Amino acid sequence: MENLIEDVDLADDHQKPEFKAALLHIIFKCFANLLCLVVSLPCLPLFLLGILIWGLPPTIPGWSRFCKFFIAAFTEGKPKENIPFTNRVLLFLIFFNALVNVPINGVCWYIDELVYPSYHKVNIDEPVFMISAPRTASTQICHYLENDSENFITPIVAESILPYIWVWKLVVPALKGLGMKQEHFLALSLFRGEASKRHEFKLNRSDTWDGLVQSWHFSVFSWYLGYSFMKWGFSYATLNEPIDEDFRKSFVPFTDCVLKKVMYCRGGPNQRMIIKGHFLLVARILEEKYPKARFFMIVRHPVERICSFINLLKVVSTNGPYRVVHGLFPMTWRVARDYAIHTQVPYCKQEMMFYKEPADNKLVIPFTMYVNNLSATLQCIYSFCNIPIPDDVVSNATRTQNTTHDRTKHRASYDPNFNKSLASLGVNEEKLMECLNEYIDWINTLDSYKKTD
C-alpha cells in the first residue's frame, strides 16, 4: 500500500514539544504512581487470592503485555515520526501506573464476583452489534437508538470505565445521598475544543466499544509510538501480519461480562442490548458466541471517510484526554495518515466480505440514506431488529439531526489546521480509489438499491 502515499513534507514533521509542560506531567505522574503504590500493596494478597478462586479478570492485561509496552516506549517509532523523548518517559510512567493499579482493579472486579455472582446467569440473547467503520455516523445513530430506553440498552462510557456492579448499586446511591449531582458529572465531555466538534464523547452516553475496552489494556496509547506499533496495537481488522492477539482474546470475555453487568444493574425484560464500534476483528467470534445476534453497519464512500478519519485522529490526539490529562505530544500527521491508509483499506475489503454474505442477521445502510432520509434509516433498523418503532423516535431524532448535529454547520466551524485533504497529506486519491474499486462499486449498488427499494 506504500504506492498510495507520496513522500511529502508535512507541517509538524519537525515540531518540538513544550519541555517544561511535559516535565511537570512527568513529575506529577511519578508522585501519583507512588501514591497508587501505597494503596495497591495492601490489595496484592487479596488480588492473588482472587486469581486462585476466579482467575484473572478480563480488565487485567497479561504480564507479557506489560513487558512489550515497557520496551516499546523506548524502542518504537522512526525518526520521521517525530516522537519526543518526553512522550516516551510519559508513556513508560502510564504503563507503570497501569501495572501498579493491577491489584486495585482486580480486587474491585472480585467484589462483584463475591457479592453479585448471579450476574453471570443473565442472558444476552439477541444483542445488536453495530460494527461500522470510523466516521460513518455510527455513534450518532447508536445515540438515537439508546434514547429509546424501552427497546434498547447499551453500556455508557462511565460503566465501561468503572465496570463494577457494586459501584453503581452501592457507592453511587450513597454519594447521591450526600448531595452529589450524578447527572451533572456524567454529562461531562472527555473531549475538548476542536475534538468535541468532531465526536461527542460523554460519560453518560455510549461510544466506540473497542476503544473503551482498549483503554483497559492501554492499546490506545500505541497511538503515540509510531505507525508500526499503532497498526499492531490498535487494529480494526485482521491483517496479514502480526496483530495484538492478547487484546483480541480478552475482548469477548470483557464484553460478555460487562453486558451482563449492565443488564443486571438496570436492564428491563424487553430491552435489546446494542453495542457500537469498529471491532470487525472479532465479528466472527461474536457471531458464534451469540447465535441470535444481529449485525448492521453504515457504509460510506472510503475516500471521504478515510480523510475524515485522519483528521479525527490528529485532532483527538491534540484535544482529547491523552493530551489534556497525560500531557502527551500529539501524534504527527504522518503517523495518522500512514495508520489510516494501512488499516482502513483492508478494513473496507473485509467489511464487504462480512456484510455481503446473504444472511438474515446482517444489514447494510448507505451513509447517503442516513444523511438524506433519517426516518427511513431508523425504520429500516427497527424492522431489521423485529421491533415496532415508537411514534416519537423519528421525530425526536430528526429534531436532533436538524439542530445539534447539522453536518453543514459543523463542517463550516472546523479549524482548517485540522481539516486537511488527502492530497495535501500526500495520499494519491486516484490510486486509493483503484485499490478499492470493488468496494466502491458495492457501495454504489447499495445506494441504487435503497433509492428504488
Side-chain angles (χ1 to χ4, degrees):
M1 268 174 278
E2 284 74 14
N3 62 339
L4 300 178
I5 300 172
E6 301 168 357
D7 189 13
V8 297
D9 289 329
L10 300 177
D12 58 356
D13 277 348
H14 306 290
Q15 189 175 345
K16 301 297 181 184
E18 296 179 8
F19 181 76
K20 290 183 179 179
L23 184 60
L24 287 175
H25 277 279
I26 290 171
I27 294 171
F28 174 78
K29 288 198 179 301
C30 289
F31 181 69
N33 282 344
L34 288 174
L35 289 180
C36 289
L37 192 60
V38 171
V39 178
S40 184
L41 284 176
C43 295
L44 184 58
L46 295 175
F47 172 63
L48 296 175
L49 179 62
I51 291 178
L52 292 175
I53 299 173
W54 295 291
L56 192 70
T59 53
I60 305 298
W63 303 120
S64 61
R65 186 177 191 79
F66 283 103
C67 293
K68 185 176 182 67
F69 275 78
F70 281 140
I71 295 170
F74 294 104
T75 59
E76 290 290 336
K78 301 175 182 178
K80 275 193 172 183
E81 293 171 329
N82 195 22
I83 301 172
F85 182 73
T86 52
N87 258 24
R88 298 185 182 280
V89 175
L90 282 167
L91 288 167
F92 182 87
L93 292 173
I94 289 168
F95 303 149
F96 184 74
N97 181 258
L99 178 61
V100 168
N101 284 328
V102 162
I104 300 173
N105 294 330
V107 169
C108 288
W109 185 274
Y110 294 138
I111 291 174
D112 278 355
E113 301 298 319
L114 184 65
V115 180
Y116 302 104
S118 57
Y119 85 85
H120 287 288
K121 297 179 182 179
V122 174
N123 291 321
I124 308 295
D125 290 327
E126 298 181 69
V128 180
F129 295 107
M130 186 179 183
I131 306 179
S132 202
R135 309 311 288 163
T136 56
S138 56
T139 300
Q140 190 50 49
I141 290 176
C142 189
H143 288 176
Y144 292 147
L145 297 176
E146 75 177 12
N147 285 339
D148 176 13
S149 57
E150 288 188 12
N151 290 306
F152 293 107
I153 182 173
T154 187
I156 62 175
V157 171
E159 289 171 326
S160 306
I161 295 173
L162 293 171
Y164 313 121
I165 297 172
W166 61 272
V167 168
W168 299 98
K169 279 192 171 290
L170 301 176
V171 177
V172 171
L175 292 175
K176 287 176 70 174
L178 295 174
M180 183 192 79
K181 300 292 183 181
Q182 179 185 339
E183 61 276 11
H184 295 161
F185 171 72
L186 291 181
L188 292 175
S189 174
L190 299 180
F191 284 176
R192 299 287 185 267
E194 192 69 19
S196 63
K197 298 179 185 178
R198 315 296 178 101
H199 188 87
E200 184 181 77
F201 189 26
K202 293 185 176 180
L203 291 169
N204 64 348
R205 303 305 301 262
S206 61
D207 215 282
T208 303
W209 181 248
D210 36 319
L212 294 168
V213 181
Q214 283 170 324
S215 67
W216 275 100
H217 293 260
F218 40 85
S219 302
V220 289
F221 294 105
S222 63
W223 287 23
Y224 298 90
L225 288 172
Y227 145 71
S228 295
F229 196 72
M230 188 180 179
K231 72 183 181 184
W232 169 85
F234 204 71
S235 179
Y236 284 108
T238 305
L239 307 174
N240 295 322
E241 58 183 84
I243 57 168
D244 189 352
E245 285 291 339
D246 289 339
F247 170 71
R248 186 182 70 81
K249 291 175 182 177
S250 64
F251 183 91
V252 174
F254 180 95
T255 299
D256 189 61
C257 284
V258 175
L259 298 193
K260 288 178 177 179
K261 288 186 177 191
V262 171
M263 287 296 291
Y264 183 92
C265 281
R266 57 183 179 88
N270 299 319
Q271 287 179 310
R272 191 83 61 84
M273 183 64 74
I274 183 166
I275 301 295
K276 168 263 170 185
H278 318 306
F279 40 93
L280 190 61
L281 180 70
V282 293
R284 299 289 183 192
I285 301 173
L286 292 170
E287 199 172 21
E288 292 177 5
K289 182 170 181 60
Y290 304 102
K292 295 182 180 180
R294 295 178 182 273
F295 300 81
F296 79 95
M297 63 167 287
I298 309 295
V299 64
R300 182 181 180 186
H301 194 286
V303 171
E304 182 184 58
R305 184 182 67 73
I306 291 173
C307 181
S308 177
F309 185 45
I310 294 171
N311 283 288
L312 178 72
L313 287 171
K314 177 64 175 177
V315 76
V316 169
S317 73
T318 304
N319 296 136
Y322 320 113
R323 171 77 166 165
V324 177
V325 177
H326 300 291
L328 290 166
F329 188 64
M331 74 166 73
T332 62
W333 282 109
R334 187 176 299 277
V335 172
R337 176 201 65 188
D338 292 353
Y339 168 77
I341 295 298
H342 182 91
T343 59
Q344 294 307 296
V345 170
Y347 186 98
C348 288
K349 295 177 180 179
Q350 293 188 40
E351 183 180 57
M352 182 174 64
M353 289 175 60
F354 181 74
Y355 281 103
K356 205 174 181 179
E357 298 170 350
D360 294 335
N361 69 333
K362 296 184 177 71
L363 171 69
V364 181
I365 298 174
F367 182 75
T368 51
M369 180 181 177
Y370 158 74
V371 172
N372 298 319
N373 197 337
L374 179 59
S375 174
T377 300
L378 293 173
Q379 291 278 0
C380 190
I381 294 170
Y382 272 84
S383 176
F384 169 67
C385 295
N386 293 323
I387 298 174
I389 188 167
D391 295 334
D392 60 341
V393 166
V394 172
S395 59
N396 290 340
T398 303
R399 191 182 308 115
T400 302
Q401 187 187 50
N402 291 338
T403 54
T404 311
H405 298 99
D406 182 271
R407 292 183 74 238
T408 305
K409 180 180 178 182
H410 271 294
R411 293 175 72 89
S413 70
Y414 286 175
D415 184 341
N417 293 318
F418 296 104
N419 204 22
K420 306 286 188 182
S421 66
L422 289 180
S424 69
L425 294 171
V427 178
N428 189 314
E429 292 186 29
E430 186 176 338
K431 289 183 179 179
L432 179 60
M433 291 183 68
E434 286 178 7
C435 187
L436 292 171
N437 61 337
E438 185 181 354
Y439 181 79
I440 293 171
D441 288 343
W442 178 55
I443 293 174
N444 292 336
T445 302
L446 290 168
D447 272 337
S448 301
Y449 171 75
K450 289 300 179 183
K451 288 175 184 175
T452 57
D453 188 35

